[in-house]
């Protein structure tokens, strides 16, 4: 059986991303190691408490020799525009989580709104990645 | 005896234990902040003394013990799964003093944080760094070799 282990997001600053995903969103650090023999490559993953087998790898955009400068710029540009990946989060109570996160300074780009699949909202992480926050409800076509 | 339902009569539509869960959720989510039992009691909407009693009745341990062990569990995980220093781990899970952290940790795990860390494989052994990343990041930066210089000569 195939299961999801990690999914990866590009971030422009791993420390800033770490603070955002842990301190603001309440995720836990799953692993954080720096490998000197790989040019201080840092493998950093976070995930929600209560869901230990799934995590998001917060990956710094590399330069040469992994990516040439032009590709690095393209990835950074796409990320900043919110086109480099999306994370879909769910919550039991979208309004309460929205208020909680807003109180911690998370800026929503879509306030909670009723959709056929539930109460849905969206915000961005400091790198510009698009994060959706949904309270999934039984489908009700409107 | 006064029960939790009396304290939360104005919130009667919600099961009483839900208010205790708010406190537990707060400890789970914000353990790294300087939270106290009073903060947890406030989240539950109960007086501190009454809250401690009701929390213990519902979850089998005091809120202080729950918060403490939540922080210790996180600290142990960070010691196993990161290469951060003990001091960084201590602060990251909400302790203000390394001495107090070391004492609590040692009492719970039977060894000091540093000894606990060395009892496990290095965190890098746990990192599921995939082959594609190893291949890409492990590759050295290109250098101009002598034969290139020779070939470039007219």
């Amino acid at each position: 059986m195939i299961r999801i282990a990690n999914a990866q997001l590009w971030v422009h600053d791993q420390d800033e991303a770490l603070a955002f995903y842990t301190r603001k969103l309440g995720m836990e650090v799953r692993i954080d190691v720096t490998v000197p023999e790989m040019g201080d490559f840092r493998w950093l993953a976070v995930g929600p408490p209560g869901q230990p087998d799934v995590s998001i790898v917060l990956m710094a955009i590399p330069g040469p020799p992994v990516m040439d400068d032009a590709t690095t710029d393209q990835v950074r540009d796409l990320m900043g525009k919110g086109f480099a990946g999306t994370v879909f989060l769910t919550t039991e109570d979208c309004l309460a989580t929205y208020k909680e996160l807003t109180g911690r300074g998370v800026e929503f780009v879509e306030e909670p709104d009723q959709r056929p699949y539930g109460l849905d909202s969206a915000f961005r992480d400091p790198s510009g990645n698009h994060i959706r926050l949904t309270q999934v409800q039984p489908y009700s076509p409107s | 005896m006064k029960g939790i339902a009396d304290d939360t009569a104005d919130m009667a539509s919600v099961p009483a234990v839900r208010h205790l869960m708010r406190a537990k959720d707060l400890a789970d989510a914000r353990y790294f902040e300087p939270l106290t039992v009073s903060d947890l009691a406030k989240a539950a909407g109960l007086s501190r003394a009454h809250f401690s009693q009701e929390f213990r009745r519902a979850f089998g341990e005091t809120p202080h013990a729950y918060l403490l062990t939540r922080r210790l569990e996180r600290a142990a995980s960070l010691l196993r799964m990161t290469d951060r220093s003990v001091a960084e781990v201590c602060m990251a899970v909400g302790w203000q003093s390394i001495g107090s952290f070391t004492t609590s940790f040692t009492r719970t795990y039977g060894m000091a944080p540093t000894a606990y860390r060395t009892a496990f494989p290095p965190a890098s052994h746990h990192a599921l760094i995939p082959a594609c990343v190893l291949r890409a990041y492990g590759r050295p930066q290109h250098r101009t070799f002598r034969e290139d210089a020779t070939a470039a000569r007219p």
Side-chain angles (χ1 to χ4, degrees), chain A residues 19-66:
Chain A
F20 180 81
Y21 281 90
T22 56
R23 305 244 155 187
K24 293 201 172 177
L25 297 196
M27 291 192 185
E28 294 176 346
V29 176
R30 289 288 155 71
I31 191 154
D32 183 2
V33 291
T34 301
V35 189
E37 59 270 30
M38 288 168 63
D40 282 340
F41 169 76
R42 186 180 181 189
W43 183 257
L44 171 65
V46 297
Q51 202 175 19
D53 59 341
V54 180
S55 60
I56 301 170
V57 179
L58 303 172
M59 189 88 89
I61 302 171
V66 181

Side-chain angles (χ1 to χ4, degrees), chain B residues 76-99:
Chain B
S77 173
L78 291 175
L79 288 168
R80 291 194 312 272
M81 303 300 286
T82 76
D83 47 17
R84 297 180 193 176
S85 70
V86 170
E88 284 175 310
V89 168
C90 161
M91 299 302 169
V93 300
W95 248 281
Q96 309 296 311
S97 139
I98 294 179

Side-chain angles (χ1 to χ4, degrees), chain A residues 57-91:
Chain A
V57 179
L58 303 172
M59 189 88 89
I61 302 171
V66 181
M67 280 184 192
D68 60 90
D69 289 334
T71 306
T72 299
D73 288 344
Q74 285 172 336
V75 173
R76 188 176 290 124
D77 193 35
L78 285 173
M79 181 192 69
K81 290 174 180 170
F83 295 131
T86 299
V87 175
F88 297 82
L89 303 174
T90 61
T91 172

Side-chain angles (χ1 to χ4, degrees), chain B residues 14 20 61 65 70 80 129 141 153:
Chain B
V14 180
L20 296 172
E61 59 187 327
R70 168 70 176 149
R80 291 194 312 272
I129 302 175
Q141 185 95 33
R153 230 175 262 147

Side-chain angles (χ1 to χ4, degrees), chain B residues 11 14 17-27 40 43-44:
Chain B
M11 300 181 270
V14 180
V17 76
R18 180 72 189 89
H19 301 293
L20 296 172
M21 277 305 293
R22 286 208 179 95
K24 198 160 176 263
D25 288 345
L26 181 65
L40 301 181

